[in-house]
Each structure stands twice: as structure tokens, then as C-alpha cells.
Amino acid sequence: MASGTGRMVPPAWLTAGLRPEPAPVPWPATVRAALALSLPLAAGLALDRPAEGALVSMGALSGVIGDTADAYRMRVFNIAVPQLFGALGVTLGTLVFGHGWLAVATLTLVALVSGMISSIGAVASASGLLLLLNAVVGAGLPMPDPWWKAPVLLGLGGLVVLALTLLGWPLRRAAPERAAVAATYRTVADLYEAAGSEAYQEKRHAVTGSLNQSYDLILARRTRQHGRTSSLARLLAQLNVLIPLLEAAPAADLRARHHGPLPPAVAATVRELADAVEHGRAEPAAPALPPSDRPSDKAVAHALRHAATVVHETEPHPHDVDDRLGRPASLAVRARRATRTMLLSAPSWRYGLRLALCIGLAQSLVSLIAVPRSYWVALTVTFVMKPDFGSVFSRAVLRAVGTCLGLVSAALVLAEVPRGWWDVPVMAVLAALIPVFSAKGYAFQTAAVTPVILLLSDALNQQGFDLVLPRLYDSLIGCAIALVAGYLLWPESWHSRIGDRLADAVADAAAYVALAFRPAAPGTGASGAGASRPGVDAARLRARRKLYRDLSAVRSEFQRALTEPPPTGTRAAAWWPLAIAVERIVDATTAARIRVAHGAPPPDPAEVAEVARELRELADGLRATDVLVPVRAHLPGDEDGVLAPLRQEVRAARAIAGPELPPDGP
């Protein structure tokens, strides 16, 4: 692509992953990585068993890469469970080492299982990855006898990382959960400060991500504890009371656009509550807010008072906590559900078959052609094909770039640093770079991990500098296999389902509109759409949370699609404004609902039905075409009514779907 100066520059979808993401240095993770990978090497050299020390460090490397959670109990889960699968993988690989086509068949079957497991969730994805990686390493490198020694040593490396991780548990315990909830409060404060400005949508996305992370941390911790402890019950209650504040935010944004900024006391009060959550303070104080007759201001004031009451409660009764999400299912129930989903899910089978095909081709190729230490080809395929890491195409390109950068540093080390005790400080420095570079992007993580793996491989087979060029060739071969067999041969790779996913979100938005203004049932003693209806309100809250989670997933899918080459990337860029418009529709619906709940006249049911019908038609149109088509949406109604902003957002969404036709058009 030519730039304005006439120079040729690569397209944005190709260079997006080469720009480092801004991220602070994770000092604790950096120190843990340096110690976890260098100490086993030192112990191996001291005991005159460098190969065994290298295997322990290799197991520690898997633990370092997998230690991505915040809460300690989740970190135990994220490190320990994948290590068990990794031990199984290296055992299978060791048993078929040197057996030619038996190794090909075994690794292909392991790849199928690994791919299907990866579809269950984050921990299962890491477990499937480690299962396949260690199986590939076991089948490609000679392991010490007897057969059980390699899995024990690799597992010991994971335990080293786990032990270093848990050193701070007695001092911090629930600190990650408290910090996460306090951070969510602060994102809400930022959201209210941005009300009425162009930054509002960006801040709302930050709130959605922070709220999801906090719920995941607390509910995951509750899952592994018997009963409901008072500290977790309190944190969950403090998190739940943010829901009314978030529901009032769209109305506050609309109010700020028409009547000026919100009082500074709103955001300041939320930040004071964040400090109280983080430090566990209980100092009851009523929020000092100026009086107002506007429904939006009344909704914000009511939500803030309720939040202040709950935050400053000392010990809420565990059974009185307003847990709108409900207790998570038991581990056995969730395991059965995940297994059933994995076995009956078409995407699970598709990904498993894609990964099995690529691994089978990689192993068959190196069985037919003499490639020294050929396990690196299958390792490259495994990393590139990881399902939840983004686009296969862009990952293959980034993997090749990152490997080249990593091989440069590895070549310098292998050529200039003598083997032996010098490996220990060199490994400490290289390992410390892994958490730092991992936060910058996939290519940077690859550049950091590559020299570490090469040094550990050299400790096992003593090939020295001769490892460098074969690893480059192997990486390029693995990237080529992933591109052809894992990307080009599967039309779903380059015909993304972003249209179907977006259509599902639009249909859910239509259902949310109908639910938000559903009249009270006869005989309940309530009247009008603004009446209190506990059952309907609870369903509406659940629907809203699910819808925002789904929209967050749609946004992530679009961001992955934007890194694909044309036509997928081009289509995602064209449809991106429509995804933003759907988010604004949900915000406008919530704002209208809050205004009705605090005194505004409820809308005509026919008007609600017309808006929902337009959204359902939009969803049907998105499913029926791969291109945006012309759509007209007049949506007549009271321009001063509560649904006027919502109708405006729906019109905008339908106009984005295609140029609006003139009234006398076809």
C-alpha cells in the first residue's frame, strides 16, 4: 500500500501485532520467572545432572507462561491442572519416541483430544496446550530413563513456580479480589466523569471488562470453597450494588449531553467507595449530592445511597446477600456439562480436526524427511493454532517474526557464552524477560520464549550453535503448515462468522427492549411499565448482564477479525460501526428504563413492539447476507417521549446497515 509520500508500507492488518502494547513491568512475575528457571539449572549443575535440571526448568517455563490469573486460588488452579495434563502428554510422547508412524498416529490423536479440550474454557485450553506440547517434546527428544522420570521432573518445575507464587498468600489472601472490586468501582467513577463526552463509550467498555473480571475472580474462588465466607459474601454484595449504578449511567450520559456535566460529587463519591472497598473500611456516610427533580439524577442518587449502605456494612449475613448471578454449579455438574458440550459441539470437533490434521502433516513430513530435532515443527504448529490466541494467519506471521528475533539473541548466547555455570545467570535474565515481553504482544512473547527453549534444548542434547538454523527452518515449515492446512483449507477461517454473531446480539437486544418495558401482570397490584416487578426486574438484570457479556465477546471477535487479511478484515472494518451502534442501543434502552422507573411516563406498548420488530428485522437481514444492504427505518413516535433517544439509535443502526433510501425509492 502506498503512503502519502509515495513509499510502500505494509497494510495495517499485517503490522498490528508488531506494535508493542503499553503495559507496566510485572515485577513480581519477573522475579518469579528468573528464580523458577535458573534455580533448577543451578541445582542440576551442582548435582552433575544438567539434563535433569533442564527438564525441571522446562516444566517451570510452562508454569510461568500459564500464571496469568490474579486470585491465588485461581493461580493454583491455572498452574496445577495443566501440569497434570502436561505429565500425561510427556509420558505418551516418551513411550512412542523413535517409533516412526506410531508416533505420528499417537500425536495426531493427542492433537484431536487437545483441540477439543481447548474449547471448554481458559484452564482447559491451557491444559490442552500443555498436553500436546509435552507429547511433542517427549516424542522428539530423548528423555532420561525410566519412563516416569520426565513427567516427574516436568511436574516438579511446575511445583517450583507454584511454590514461589504462593509465598505471598499468607499476607495478601483476598487482596486480589478486593483490589479487583475496588478497580471496578474506579472504572465506574471514570464512566460518570465521562458522561456527556465522546469518551463515554470507551469508559463503558472498560467497566464491562473490569466487572467481568471481578465476577470471574470472586465466583471462581467461591466455587472452590465450602459454604459462603463472610469476606466473599461482602465482596460479592459490594460488586452487585454496582449494577444499579451501571443501569443509571446511560441515563446520566443522556442528561449530561442535554443539560451539562454531572455534579463532580458523583464520581468523587464512587472513588471514596472504591477506597473503602480496597481497605475494608466501614464508615457510614450519606453521599452529599445536590437535589434534583430529573429522573436520571434521582436514579443516580438512589443507586449511590444504596451502594454506600452496602459498602459500609461490616458483616452482611451470608444468606441475605443480593447475589443476582446465583451460586455456581457444583464441580461435578460443571464437569459433566463441559464434557457434553465438548463432545456434541461442532466448533469443538472442527478445531480438534484442524489441529489433528496440522500435527499429523507435521509429524508425517519429518518422518519422511530427515529433519534434525524435528519436534520444533510440531511445536510451532501447536502455538500458531492455539484457538483463543487470535487469528491463525496473523499468528503465523508474528510467530515467524518473533522466532527470527529470538534466534538472533539465542545465536549470540550460544556463540559467546560458555556452557556450564554461565547458563544460570543468562537463564535468569532471559526468563525475567518473558513476563515483560508477554504483556507487549504475541510476537514479543515468542521472541522472549525462543532463546529460553533453545538453551534448555541445548542442555538436553549439547548441540550448541548448530541448533539455531535448523530451528529457523523448522519454524518456517510449521508456520507454512498452519497457514495451508489450518487456515486456507477451512473456509470458515477466511469467511468469518462475525455477521452471525452480531445478528445474535441484535436479536438479544430486541428481546431486551421487549423485556425492559413489559407491563406488570394483572393481579399483581402494580400498574404501568415503571411498576416494581421483582421477577421481571431480576430477569431484566440477568438479560442485561448477559447481553453486555455477549457484546464484549462480539467486540473481541471483531478485533480478531480486523487482523485477518481481506476479505475478512475488510468486512469486519465495514461492519464495526454497526457493532458500536448495537451497544448504543442497549445503553439507550437502559437509560429509558431508568427514566421510567424514576417518574417518566412509560412508553406506549405499540411503540416498544415497533422498536423490537425493527431490531429483529435487522438481525434477520444480517443473517441473510454477507454485505450490508439498504434499509429504511422511520419509527414514528412521540419525539418528546422516553423512547425518542432509543428510536434515534435504532434508526442510526439501520442506516449503518446500508445507505438509507429516499421515501420514493424502491
Side-chain angles (χ1 to χ4, degrees):
M1 180 184 296
S3 67
T5 61
R7 294 180 300 173
M8 299 295 292
V9 297
W13 55 265
L14 186 60
T15 59
L18 298 177
R19 291 190 293 269
E21 296 289 338
V25 176
W27 290 112
T30 299
V31 174
R32 281 196 303 273
L35 293 175
L37 271 73
S38 61
L39 290 180
L41 279 184
L45 290 171
L47 298 174
D48 197 23
R49 294 181 177 272
E52 282 82 349
L55 277 176
V56 176
S57 293
M58 195 171 291
L61 175 62
S62 302
V64 167
I65 296 175
D67 185 18
T68 57
D70 292 319
Y72 281 102
R73 287 175 176 83
M74 288 187 69
R75 293 165 83 173
V76 172
F77 206 58
N78 283 4
I79 296 174
V81 173
Q83 289 295 328
L84 295 177
F85 281 85
L88 175 61
V90 76
T91 302
L92 293 174
T94 301
L95 293 177
V96 299
F97 174 74
H99 285 75
W101 292 106
L102 177 60
V104 173
T106 301
L107 290 182
T108 301
L109 181 60
V110 170
L112 174 63
V113 175
S114 170
M116 296 183 69
I117 290 175
S118 298
S119 66
I120 296 176
V123 175
S125 178
S127 300
L129 174 66
L130 204 53
L131 170 69
L132 182 56
L133 286 180
N134 284 5
V136 170
V137 172
L141 281 175
M143 295 292 167
D145 292 324
W147 63 267
W148 50 264
K149 182 178 286 189
V152 169
L153 292 175
L154 289 171
L156 181 60
L159 290 178
V160 171
V161 177
L162 194 56
L164 293 173
T165 299
L166 298 181
L167 287 178
W169 194 340
L171 299 177
R172 301 186 74 225
R173 290 186 183 266
E177 290 86 354
R178 282 200 306 270
V181 175
T184 303
Y185 270 79
R186 293 188 179 100
T187 61
V188 174
D190 294 340
L191 178 69
Y192 273 94
E193 276 190 341
S197 71
E198 295 302 321
Y200 175 81
Q201 286 297 325
E202 178 184 350
K203 299 300 182 183
R204 190 187 62 72
H205 298 149
V207 171
T208 299
S210 181
L211 189 66
N212 289 344
Q213 181 186 20
S214 296
Y215 269 123
D216 289 343
L217 285 176
I218 294 176
L219 293 180
R221 182 176 172 187
R222 289 175 66 209
T223 301
R224 289 179 287 281
Q225 287 195 189
H226 299 290
R228 298 168 66 146
T229 65
S230 59
S231 61
L232 286 184
R234 184 181 183 189
L235 282 175
L236 190 56
Q238 292 169 344
L239 192 58
N240 282 336
V241 294
L242 280 178
I243 301 299
L245 269 173
L246 293 178
E247 286 204 309
D253 176 58
L254 186 64
R255 176 258 192 225
R257 291 179 185 275
H258 290 87
H259 302 288
L262 299 178
V266 174
T269 300
V270 179
R271 287 200 171 87
E272 290 173 1
L273 295 178
D275 294 338
V277 169
E278 188 165 23
H279 301 291
R281 295 198 304 263
E283 303 168 356
L289 300 175
S292 176
D293 293 331
R294 295 190 181 96
S296 58
D297 290 341
K298 290 164 63 177
V300 172
H302 178 78
L304 273 178
R305 293 189 186 96
H306 180 45
T309 300
V310 173
V311 166
H312 292 301
E313 283 178 350
T314 53
E315 288 292 339
H317 192 280
H319 299 291
D320 291 335
V321 177
D322 182 17
D323 183 359
R324 293 190 176 96
L325 294 187
R327 289 178 62 84
S330 67
L331 184 60
V333 171
R334 287 182 291 118
R336 289 196 299 269
R337 186 183 304 158
T339 302
R340 183 170 59 251
T341 301
M342 177 189 71
L343 294 176
L344 301 179
S345 168
S348 170
W349 279 98
R350 280 199 300 268
Y351 174 67
L353 291 172
R354 287 170 65 183
L355 185 57
L357 174 62
C358 292
I359 292 294
L361 287 175
Q363 287 298 117
S364 299
L365 178 66
V366 299
S367 296
L368 296 172
I369 301 175
V371 180
R373 298 293 179 250
S374 57
Y375 67 93
W376 198 275
V377 178
L379 280 182
T380 301
V381 169
T382 303
F383 278 117
V384 172
M385 291 294 295
K386 187 70 168 62
D388 50 357
F389 282 176
S391 162
V392 169
F393 183 91
S394 62
R395 283 173 61 78
V397 175
L398 296 177
R399 176 78 182 181
V401 173
T403 298
C404 292
L405 294 175
L407 287 174
V408 171
S409 58
L412 293 175
V413 171
L414 292 173
E416 302 297 333
V417 178
R419 303 278 65 80
W421 282 100
W422 278 105
D423 287 340
V424 177
V426 170
M427 179 60 67
V429 173
L430 293 176
L433 295 177
I434 293 177
V436 178
F437 280 30
S438 294
K440 301 295 182 182
Y442 178 68
F444 301 94
Q445 182 191 52
T446 302
V449 171
T450 296
V452 171
I453 296 180
L454 283 177
L455 287 182
L456 295 176
S457 299
D458 181 54
L460 291 173
N461 51 48
Q462 302 296 323
Q463 282 191 313
F465 188 81
D466 293 337
L467 278 171
V468 176
L469 284 180
R471 291 298 75 80
L472 177 60
Y473 302 149
D474 292 347
S475 294
L476 296 179
I477 292 172
C479 290
I481 290 174
L483 279 176
V484 175
Y487 181 80
L488 295 177
L489 294 183
W490 300 81
E492 66 181 41
S493 300
W494 33 279
H495 291 298
S496 175
R497 295 181 60 250
I498 54 176
D500 292 340
R501 297 178 189 274
L502 186 57
D504 292 340
V506 174
D508 289 343
Y512 177 57
V513 169
L515 182 63
F517 304 102
R518 180 182 299 172
T524 60
S527 61
S532 176
R533 304 153 296 160
V536 174
D537 287 345
R540 176 175 53 81
L541 289 171
R542 287 192 296 269
R544 179 181 176 276
R545 281 289 301 134
K546 179 181 181 301
L547 185 52
Y548 272 121
R549 272 186 179 268
D550 292 345
L551 287 173
S552 179
V554 168
R555 172 176 284 269
S556 298
E557 183 68 22
F558 265 88
Q559 289 171 344
R560 279 196 294 268
L562 287 170
T563 65
E564 297 276 11
T568 299
T570 305
R571 184 185 177 204
W575 286 43
W576 177 247
L578 185 57
I580 302 299
V582 175
E583 294 179 347
R584 294 180 62 87
I585 287 171
V586 178
D587 280 347
T589 304
T590 302
R593 174 64 216 171
I594 290 298
R595 292 179 63 195
V596 170
H598 288 81
D604 186 347
E607 189 178 4
V608 175
E610 182 68 13
V611 171
R613 184 189 63 79
E614 285 284 346
L615 290 175
R616 286 193 294 269
E617 286 186 359
L618 175 58
D620 294 340
L622 294 178
R623 292 192 181 96
T625 182
D626 286 338
V627 295
L628 301 178
V629 295
V631 174
R632 286 184 298 185
H634 296 296
L635 285 176
D638 183 5
E639 293 303 320
D640 296 324
V642 71
L643 287 191
L646 175 58
R647 292 198 312 274
Q648 180 180 351
E649 297 295 347
V650 174
R651 290 192 197 102
R654 305 227 56 182
I656 290 173
E660 188 172 359
L661 295 177
D664 56 350

